[in-house]
Amino acid sequence: MTTTSSDAVRPRIRARVRDGAQRGGEHASGDGPKQALLGLMLGALGVVFGDIGMSPIYALRQGVTEAGRVDVPVVMGILSMIVWAVVVVVMIKYVSYVMRADNEGEGGIVALTALVRSGYEQQGRHKPHWLLMAGLFGAAMFYGDSMITPAVSVLSAVEGLHQVSARFDPFIVPCAMAILVALFLFQRCGTAVVGKSFGPVMALWFVWLAGVGVYRIAQHPDVLRAVSPTWAWALVHAHPLLAFVVLGEVILALTGAEALYADIGHFGRRAIRLAWLFIVFPAIVIGYFGQAATMLYQPGAEKQPFFYAAPSWALIPTVIIALLATVIASQAVISGAFSMTSQAIELGFLPRLRVIETSKKHRGQVYVPAVNLLLFAAVMFLVLTFRSSDKLTSAYGIAVGLTMLITTVQMVSLSRNVWRWPWLAVAAVSVPLLAIDALLVAANVHKIPQGGWFPVAVGIVLFTLMATWHRGRALSAEHASKAPPLDAFVRHVLDDKHPARVPGTAVYPGSRLGATPSALESNVRHNRVLHRTVIVFVNRSESAPRVDEHTRIDVRDLGAGCYEVISRHGFTERPNLPRLLASLDGQLADWRFDSKHTTYFLLRDEMTPGCSHGQMSRAREWLFGEMAFHSASSAEYYGLVGEDVVELGVQVVL
């Protein structure tokens, strides 16, 4: 190692951390590529496609119910609208276009926002503030979707019990609640276990859905004419207002499209695309055609076309399979909510929460207990408040539509400013997609008084929390920049203060490169001691999901046993401080990592009233302080054991 003076440019010592983790979607076992891909596809069926795979239970039914008529032009027109909405929005927009924007294997609107931000940073430009706020609002609306999906999916399937016997009606809501309790308790097992358990059931669901559809299509093949978009256009031309209203129900066939993108970190883009193209898409389209045939040729079938489509002898098996599948339908958005929360924490959009890695083979598979509890409470509230899938679908569309619209807006910025597409190409792709998304949102505005207020209210609350935390963090960073330079502080302490040197290693996590941590400054001022080895640890979260292990750590030698260690990690990773320090063995002069003689000095900030000097309102100052107080401890975040940690409380005035 080379040591230089404080006023020279110091060489950096690179260290590698070996943790054996694999990127999300990569298979770490010794299985062959085909076996690995098939396993990922099966897992994706159980986690990713549950939401969109359950849409056939209620999407066409709600569209025809909203139209108030059951005749050939209306049913065929709505069917054509649904099929082409799936083709354009899911197949073309998400599977072919949006999923190209994976942030090194990670997806979702938070990862997309980070990708756009990193593109601006690479060009030396600041990302427009409104674009960042739009990304945060889209993420907030995704949480609203994550709350509604489990409730509406499970209720819609349990309501099939009514088709078996009306005597089951009093048990529909309690049964749905019991299933949801079991589902949320199961989340702690992890995505990998959930996917393996649910994948075969969802494979059976899609086979059953296609089989019932083929059974009805074979009886009435003329329904296949709805594959032509002319039926949709004819409905729009003949009844424009009715078609616009029905469009608010067509969006129900698209729920889960955002989850396809959000969950690519769990199973990989290729596995999700192949599963969609060869299994999910054909099955759901055939299922819609089968239901349309049933509605047109079986009186009364419009009430529950999915269950009426099954042969009478297969009704009970259909209800059972639907019950199992709808439980799984909720998994797509729940897993997406966990992933998005983990990403948002690392990017500084949410305070630290407890995040549990649930897989040693696949990075990005996480369980967030606080989010699981929040979703569970919200889902129970929705089930008890609305009590039927018909009423819940009114609350559904607005959250989905707003998230889709914001995703498209972010993709416009990405295509132009990161991918460097010419404006003509950007316009050719984005203008039609923006028009469709705007129409879907507009068609759902009238649902706000009927239940759409819930996801909007949830979105506004969560957006306020994320925007406040992001703003408070920015002001905290600005305050940290006023701390004395680390080089000058060390020089001043050693030359003028002559503190007592005590045995052992002291580690001070800091928030800003080259700045003196408040904990170090306070410890020297009040205790007048300095450990024999002092390591200032600066943790930097990058806009990429992962960083290269070879360049993860840099070290600056400050002299006299003092070092600054700069660690980089992606937004799907969490720093394990003892393991990072252990990787430096042999890299620093006369020092080896010894956990028994290492003390970690952490800072516990206390926000004071007026701490932002008018840059935030008093209400937001209080909110930021409460979020900071209730966030997970830094010790847990850094993977530290309690007896090795000393916490110092510091009042912060931003």
Side-chain angles (χ1 to χ4, degrees), residues 355-532:
V355 178
I356 301 172
E357 294 280 352
T358 60
S359 174
K360 295 181 179 179
K361 295 182 178 180
H362 305 293
R363 183 171 293 169
Q365 297 189 2
V366 296
Y367 167 64
V368 187
V371 172
N372 193 58
L373 181 61
L374 175 65
L375 292 179
F376 171 72
V379 168
M380 290 294 105
F381 169 79
L382 288 168
V383 171
L384 289 172
T385 302
F386 290 89
R387 306 186 73 84
S388 77
S389 62
D390 282 346
K391 294 177 181 177
L392 264 173
T393 53
S394 297
Y396 213 167
I398 191 71
V400 177
L402 285 171
T403 305
M404 288 180 171
L405 178 61
I406 293 169
T407 296
T408 305
V409 171
Q410 297 279 29
M411 286 299 298
V412 171
S413 178
L414 179 73
S415 300
R416 177 58 185 165
N417 297 299
V418 180
W419 292 346
R420 310 303 295 174
W421 285 11
W423 271 116
L424 187 61
V426 174
V429 173
S430 61
V431 169
L433 295 179
L434 285 170
I436 292 170
D437 291 339
L439 276 173
L440 290 171
V441 171
N444 279 277
V445 169
H446 76 280
K447 293 183 179 180
I448 291 179
Q450 305 167 21
W453 57 267
F454 179 81
V456 172
V458 168
I460 291 173
V461 170
L462 291 175
F463 171 75
T464 301
L465 292 175
M466 288 191 285
T468 299
W469 183 256
H470 183 264
R471 178 59 175 161
R473 288 253 308 179
L475 293 175
S476 297
E478 185 179 324
H479 171 72
S481 67
K482 301 174 184 177
L486 183 59
D487 299 47
F489 177 80
V490 171
R491 221 173 29 242
H492 170 68
V493 168
L494 294 175
D495 295 343
D496 300 337
K497 299 294 184 181
H498 303 293
R501 302 300 293 263
V502 295
T505 300
V507 181
Y508 296 89
S511 60
R512 186 178 176 86
L513 185 64
T516 305
S518 299
L520 173 57
E521 193 177 2
S522 298
N523 196 30
V524 171
R525 181 189 307 118
H526 296 294
N527 298 322
R528 297 179 177 82
V529 297
L530 204 63
H531 284 71
R532 183 170 299 163

Side-chain angles (χ1 to χ4, degrees), residues 30-45:
D31 296 337
K34 288 186 178 179
Q35 288 178 305
L37 181 60
L38 290 174
L40 290 171
M41 288 174 63
L42 184 62
L45 288 180

Side-chain angles (χ1 to χ4, degrees), residues 84 98 180 189 338 355 385 415 418 542 589 610 614 619 647:
W84 282 99
V98 175
L180 289 165
C189 297
F338 291 160
V355 178
T385 302
S415 300
V418 180
E542 305 290 341
E647 266 197 355

